[in-house]
Amino acid sequence: MIDFLSRIASAPISWGICEVPGWGAMLPTPRVLCEMASLGLPATELGAPGFLPTSPESVRDELAAFDMTLIGGFTPVVLHDRRQREATIASARLTASLFERAGATEFISAVVMDEGWSVPRALEADELGHMMEMFGIIDEICAEHGLQQVVHPHVQTLIETEGDVQRVLDNCDVRWCLDTGHLAIGGVDPVAFAREAADRVGHVHLKDVNMSMAGPVLRHEMPIMAGVQGGLFTPLGQGDVAISAVIETLEAAGYAGWYVIEQDTAITGPLPAEGEGPITSVTVSMDYLRDVVAPRLEAAARAKS
């Protein structure tokens, strides 16, 4: 139980930090880091450009002031388009180098149609083949920098549906960021994924979802930003995803990586007062992990012994 609790971290998006225009207000970085630290979170992901410094050394220093470290960062990549092959490789090398110097360990790939996140379409066979080849190339780049690439299934990317997920599982060896929320929205049971692909899971994002809102987002009738602003994601334990069962399944399989509370949030009104706003939702999620999930893991460990 103690080991599990020490591997819980968070992401700036849980505090509404997002670069998408119109997403919502962004809290000042010192306040966010202070609130993360006050909850005992030892590490964070990078967040939107501008949240942390651009210099890797400055990132280390700023996080160290709050006794925190950097896990890695969400990295959109174009992998299907041969015309962008060299540019993608160069960008991946630059990002991997920056992550390494900042002390990170995870390169979290999100496979997008283009830099503008155009609505995904079905890929041709050659495009799919190139995508699988590029996963291997980025794996090699990451290995050179002491990083692990994990592919992030994500609504409105090229890996969003059950078919997309299975195609990548079947055709390459890339490891995964098991995002409980995005898998569920895409029609994948995250508990089954944890059970059947545990050996491929290298990182975990914990999201709970109000699944009654998932259909319009998956059908691209509603932008994910509108879904978030409307309450698509809930505090852990208050939505429709079996969060505890995912964690119990992974722990039983020997998973030893991070569990990142990545509870997409948007601040659409005035900035909340100190001690209010996103920290309240993350606190509820932390309480769930500590008071519900951890005791179940402890009971399972006792029963096994």
Side-chain angles (χ1 to χ4, degrees), residues 69 81 99 116 122 131 149 225 290:
T69 59
D81 190 344
F99 282 175
M131 178 192 296
Q149 178 187 199
M225 179 175 72
R290 183 187 62 249

Side-chain angles (χ1 to χ4, degrees), residues 180-203:
T180 56
H182 283 284
L183 284 175
I185 293 170
V188 178
D189 178 353
V191 179
F193 188 96
R195 181 176 60 250
E196 296 163 9
D199 62 329
R200 298 278 294 273
V201 176
H203 193 53

Side-chain angles (χ1 to χ4, degrees), residues 87-107:
T88 297
I89 290 173
S91 177
R93 289 191 184 281
L94 177 61
T95 299
S97 175
L98 293 174
F99 282 175
E100 179 186 24
R101 290 162 54 201
T105 58
E106 311 300 326
F107 185 111

Side-chain angles (χ1 to χ4, degrees), residues 5-292:
L5 292 175
S6 70
R7 290 185 283 126
I8 298 170
S10 191
I13 191 67
S14 296
W15 270 262
I17 305 300
C18 182
E19 71 272 29
V20 176
W23 184 272
M26 290 203 286
L27 295 171
T29 299
R31 172 174 169 177
V32 173
L33 295 179
C34 183
E35 291 184 351
M36 286 182 176
S38 74
L39 293 175
L41 297 164
T44 181
E45 291 184 3
L46 187 63
F51 175 66
L52 289 174
T54 55
S55 157
E57 293 75 19
S58 296
V59 170
R60 279 181 181 261
D61 291 344
E62 182 149 7
L63 292 179
F66 295 90
D67 294 321
M68 298 179 71
T69 59
L70 182 70
I71 295 172
F74 184 85
T75 308
V77 288
V78 178
L79 302 185
H80 69 287
D81 190 344
R82 289 186 182 276
R83 296 169 299 179
Q84 298 195 45
R85 179 186 179 95
E86 295 308 316
T88 297
I89 290 173
S91 177
R93 289 191 184 281
L94 177 61
T95 299
S97 175
L98 293 174
F99 282 175
E100 179 186 24
R101 290 162 54 201
T105 58
E106 311 300 326
F107 185 111
I108 304 165
S109 298
V111 187
V112 294
M113 278 298 304
D114 50 47
E115 292 182 357
W117 282 65
S118 295
V119 174
R121 59 167 172 78
L123 298 183
E124 302 293 333
D126 180 68
E127 292 175 317
L128 287 168
H130 190 257
M131 178 192 296
M132 303 309 164
E133 180 185 350
M134 288 295 291
F135 278 131
I137 290 172
I138 295 179
D139 274 344
E140 292 173 0
I141 292 170
C142 287
E144 293 169 4
H145 293 278
L147 304 172
Q148 169 183 239
Q149 178 187 199
V150 288
V151 61
H152 190 318
H154 198 289
V155 171
Q156 296 172 5
T157 71
L158 288 170
I159 307 177
E160 65 173 346
T161 67
E162 183 177 12
D164 298 334
V165 168
Q166 193 61 52
R167 190 175 297 113
V168 175
L169 282 170
D170 290 344
N171 289 283
C172 71
D173 297 325
V174 70
R175 293 174 68 79
W176 288 77
C177 170
L178 191 168
D179 185 294
T180 56
H182 283 284
L183 284 175
I185 293 170
V188 178
D189 178 353
V191 179
F193 188 96
R195 181 176 60 250
E196 296 163 9
D199 62 329
R200 298 278 294 273
V201 176
H203 193 53
V204 177
H205 281 173
L206 297 177
K207 281 191 185 73
D208 212 341
V209 181
N210 175 358
M211 289 299 292
S212 68
M213 297 183 63
V217 173
L218 183 62
R219 294 191 299 269
H220 305 154
E221 297 167 1
M222 175 190 292
I224 191 168
M225 179 175 72
V228 170
Q229 292 174 342
L232 175 65
F233 299 113
T234 74
L236 301 182
Q238 295 189 3
D240 299 309
V241 179
I243 299 294
S244 184
V246 171
I247 296 171
E248 291 171 57
T249 301
L250 288 172
E251 291 294 294
Y255 175 73
W258 288 105
Y259 291 98
V260 176
I261 300 173
E262 200 205 34
Q263 183 178 301
D264 293 17
T265 297
I267 301 172
T268 54
L271 289 184
E274 295 284 341
E276 299 178 2
I279 190 174
T280 59
S281 293
V282 181
T283 299
V284 171
S285 295
M286 289 289 294
D287 289 345
Y288 171 78
L289 295 173
R290 183 187 62 249
D291 299 338
V292 176

